[in-house]
């Protein structure tokens, strides 16, 4: 396949007018495939990677079925998200183990749609004080034994395990024992700056949806946000759906952290791509109106109703983030977080030929996955 007349996103994170050549499902320096796609001046970007979302199209990853994962993967791929790392909720450990086992078996089947390249365990080792839309009945203290059980059940698919260090007296030992096996993130935590810094200094390297479900960032109590800013090895997730974070704060975060440490996520729940109405997330009832999803019980935000491509578009058109930067935060940076940048996340010879065409208004025009047009 040859994709002609496009502005291709380069390794230097700029756009350049050039043809894209694909051979045997990977980007290549030549192509013997006679198929030609006229890009008509579109932007050509790598397939997006969402490393924190719960579902879409009426399905949730924690439904725990092949059908749910397959429907989610199909829905995501159609939107230009070709790599997925769905997140778990705070559920009973036995239920979580079964969900992880099902995902492991699904991943082995190499099903169509977006590739299942990881799992992000948002719960159950969180704080009840910052539970958000997580069910407090199932919160557990962080346990090496339980974490290893999760990793085994997933066949190594679990890439992130979240903890609230202030709620877990043994968090430093947990990090020391688990950091070489999985990324440790701070998630749904009420930790102050000093506690968060101790966790990051011990080896935690990720922050779940920065600003949300954590203490506010103030001039005397910088909390987790301040600790992230002072920890250069830590990546931070941002939900740029236009609901979770004010555009000014998004811009300030880029100035504070730099673009290389920001990872765009959607945090989408099953209502993404669906009509307004009532849905569930982690066993809790949620009302969705437009882009906003809230718990019926207390009005807390309950994930988002926007997919990652919509978040990228919002970041550019409503938050003044340059397109080149936004693309990196939805492709390059998540690929690096997940340890898969050698095979995906950029348009480079030898990598998986996942590429998305966007017109000048950033509307989706085509999705090519593994060198085959799927949308």
């Amino acid at each position: 396949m040859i994709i002609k007349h496009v502005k291709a996103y380069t390794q230097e994170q700029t756009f350049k007018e050039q043809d894209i050549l694909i051979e045997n499902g990977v980007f290549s320096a030549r192509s013997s495939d006679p198929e030609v796609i006229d890009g008509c001046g579109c932007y050509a970007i790598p397939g997006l990677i969402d490393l924190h979302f719960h579902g879409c199209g009426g399905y949730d990853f924690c439904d725990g079925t092949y059908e749910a994962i397959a429907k989610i993967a199909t829905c995501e791929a159609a939107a230009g998200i070709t790599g997925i790392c769905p997140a778990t909720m705070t559920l009973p450990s036995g239920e979580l183990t079964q969900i992880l086992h099902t995902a492991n078996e699904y991943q082995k089947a190499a099903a169509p749609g977006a590739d299942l390249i990881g799992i992000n365990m948002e719960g159950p080792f969180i704080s009840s004080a910052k539970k958000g839309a997580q069910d407090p009945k199932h919160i557990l203290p962080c346990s090496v034994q339980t974490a290893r059980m999760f990793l085994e059940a997933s066949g190594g698919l679990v890439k992130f395990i979240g903890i609230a260090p202030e709620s877990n007296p043994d968090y430093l030992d947990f990090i020391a024992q688990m950091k070489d096996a999985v990324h440790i993130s701070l998630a749904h935590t009420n930790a102050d700056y000093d506690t968060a810094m101790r966790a990051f200094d011990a080896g935690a390297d990720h922050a779940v949806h920065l600003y949300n479900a954590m203490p506010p960032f103030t001039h005397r109590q910088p909390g987790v946000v301040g600790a992230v800013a002072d920890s250069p090895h830590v990546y931070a997730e941002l939900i740029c759906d236009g609901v979770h974070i004010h555009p000014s704060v998004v811009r300030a975060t880029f100035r504070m952290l730099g673009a290389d440490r920001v990872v765009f996520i959607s945090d989408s729940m099953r209502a993404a791509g669906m009509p307004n109405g009532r849905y569930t997330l982690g066993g809790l009832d949620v009302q969705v109106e437009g882009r906003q999803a809230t718990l019926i019980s207390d009005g807390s935000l309950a994930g988002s109703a926007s997919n990652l491509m919509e978040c990228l578009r919002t970041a550019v058109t409503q938050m003044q983030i340059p397109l080149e930067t936004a693309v990196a935060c939805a492709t390059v940076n998540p690929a690096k977080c997940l340890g898969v940048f050698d095979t995906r996340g950029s348009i480079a010879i030898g990598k998986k030929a996942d590429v998305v065409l966007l017109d000048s208004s950033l509307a989706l025009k085509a999705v090519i996955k593994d060198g085959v047009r799927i949308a």
Side-chain angles (χ1 to χ4, degrees):
M1 176 186 288
I2 302 176
I3 308 173
K4 302 180 72 68
H5 307 132
V6 292
K7 296 185 281 285
Y9 191 69
T10 69
Q11 292 278 71
E12 293 73 36
Q13 299 181 13
T14 60
F15 286 99
K16 179 181 179 181
E17 292 187 9
Q18 63 182 53
D19 296 342
I20 297 173
L21 280 64
I22 297 171
E23 181 89 2
N24 297 322
V26 300
F27 297 117
S28 176
R30 64 180 184 85
S31 178
S32 58
D33 187 333
E35 183 178 5
V36 175
I37 293 178
D38 187 343
C40 301
C42 283
Y43 296 108
I45 66 173
L48 306 193
I49 301 170
D50 197 346
L51 61 71
H52 184 158
F53 77 109
H54 299 278
C56 58
Y59 292 86
D60 190 294
F61 176 67
C62 285
D63 291 345
T65 66
Y66 274 50
E67 179 189 16
I69 302 173
K71 293 287 187 180
I72 289 168
T74 299
C75 182
E76 292 287 291
I81 302 137
T82 58
I84 56 174
C85 175
T88 58
M89 295 295 289
T90 298
L91 298 167
S93 58
E95 187 173 340
L96 285 171
T97 300
Q98 185 56 48
I99 290 166
L100 299 174
H101 175 75
T102 300
N104 180 26
E105 293 301 311
Y106 173 89
Q107 196 257 2
K108 292 176 183 177
D115 296 325
L116 179 62
I117 55 177
I119 297 169
N120 189 335
M121 295 205 72
E122 191 174 3
F125 307 138
I126 62 171
S127 162
S128 58
K130 293 292 181 181
K131 61 183 176 58
Q134 307 279 341
D135 192 336
K137 295 196 303 292
H138 307 304
I139 292 174
L140 296 175
C142 64
S143 157
V144 170
Q145 181 180 0
T146 303
R148 286 177 175 163
M149 178 182 69
F150 290 153
L151 291 178
E152 182 178 358
S154 76
L157 265 179
V158 170
K159 304 301 182 183
F160 305 91
I161 291 182
I163 65 169
E166 80 288 355
S167 298
N168 293 280
D170 297 327
Y171 73 93
L172 291 177
D173 180 64
F174 179 87
I175 294 171
Q177 292 197 54
M178 297 303 303
K179 66 180 181 179
D180 292 333
V182 66
H183 294 286
I184 307 298
S185 54
L186 267 57
H188 287 264
T189 172
N190 205 30
D192 60 16
Y193 172 86
D194 291 336
T195 303
M197 279 302 299
R198 283 193 290 270
F200 291 139
D201 287 344
D205 61 2
H206 197 81
V208 169
H209 44 51
L210 199 69
Y211 301 106
N212 297 109
M214 62 180 58
F217 175 50
T218 70
H219 62 298
R220 290 195 181 94
Q221 295 180 320
V224 177
V225 177
V228 170
D230 286 345
S231 303
H233 69 290
V234 175
Y235 283 91
E237 303 173 357
L238 282 187
I239 309 172
C240 293
D241 63 345
V243 174
H244 281 76
I245 311 172
H246 192 282
S248 176
V249 175
V250 172
R251 293 189 292 271
T253 303
F254 275 94
R255 290 192 292 270
M256 182 167 59
L257 301 186
D260 292 344
R261 292 206 280 142
V262 174
V263 178
F264 284 172
I265 65 166
S266 72
D267 200 23
S268 68
M269 46 92 71
R270 68 172 78 242
M274 300 291 286
N276 292 340
R278 284 198 174 195
Y279 298 88
T280 60
L281 178 65
L284 303 178
D285 292 326
V286 176
Q287 182 68 35
V288 173
E289 297 290 339
R291 291 183 296 174
Q292 185 159 303
T294 54
L295 286 183
I296 290 174
S297 61
D298 63 10
S300 298
L301 288 176
S304 86
S306 300
N307 65 42
L308 185 59
M309 186 63 76
E310 292 167 333
C311 291
L312 182 151
R313 194 176 294 120
T314 297
V316 175
T317 62
Q318 299 179 30
M319 298 177 171
Q320 300 164 29
I321 303 303
L323 177 60
E324 294 86 348
T325 300
V327 171
C329 293
T331 59
V332 175
N333 295 354
K336 289 180 176 179
C337 272
L338 287 159
V340 296
F341 190 59
D342 58 331
T343 58
R344 62 176 75 228
S346 66
I347 299 173
I349 291 175
K351 291 192 177 186
K352 285 172 58 68
D354 294 354
V355 60
V356 179
L357 303 186
L358 304 174
D359 68 15
S360 58
S361 65
L362 306 187
L364 188 69
K365 303 305 291 184
V367 179
I368 293 94
K369 184 178 182 300
D370 294 315
V372 177
R373 184 168 183 170
I374 62 172

